[in-house]
């Protein structure tokens, strides 16, 4: 079970991912295709519903055209 702190961190990350995606004018499907994920997975990440792995973070960063460091600079 996730702690309140974990839930808040995942939500913050999700909002940051969404902000980056929107700033770049990309759809969920475009990001998903670029990082080999299902589009519903991108939605779940943006909603803070899943705790992603480091490899997913790196793939997501590549799909968004940013560095992994930029992904976690919340």
């Amino acid at each position: 079970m996730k702690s309140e702190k974990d839930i808040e961190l995942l939500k913050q990350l999700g909002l940051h991912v969404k902000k980056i995606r929107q700033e770049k004018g990309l759809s969920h499907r475009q990001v998903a295709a670029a990082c080999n994920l299902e589009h519903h997975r991108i939605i779940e990440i943006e909603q803070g519903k899943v705790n992603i792995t480091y490899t997913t973070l790196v793939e997501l960063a590549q799909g968004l055209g940013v560095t992994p460091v930029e992904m976690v600079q919340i």
Side-chain angles (χ1 to χ4, degrees):
M1 193 154 151
K2 297 174 192 167
S3 71
E4 291 294 319
K5 183 179 177 183
D6 291 344
I7 292 168
E8 184 58 32
L9 289 171
L10 292 174
K11 285 181 181 180
Q12 287 176 9
L13 177 62
L15 289 173
H16 189 60
V17 169
K18 183 176 183 176
K19 178 183 173 208
I20 293 169
R21 178 183 61 76
Q22 290 176 334
E23 285 175 351
K24 295 192 173 272
L26 299 170
S27 70
H28 292 118
R29 290 185 188 276
Q30 288 172 311
V31 174
C35 53
N36 201 29
L37 294 171
E38 297 291 328
H39 80 278
H40 64 84
R41 187 73 165 162
I42 304 300
I43 294 168
E44 291 173 339
I45 292 167
E46 288 185 358
Q47 293 174 345
K49 292 184 177 180
V50 292
N51 191 358
I52 61 175
T53 64
Y54 177 72
T55 54
T56 300
L57 178 78
V58 171
E59 290 170 354
L60 188 55
Q62 290 172 342
L64 289 167
V66 298
T67 67
V69 172
E70 289 173 282
M71 293 290 294
V72 295
Q73 289 178 331
I74 301 171

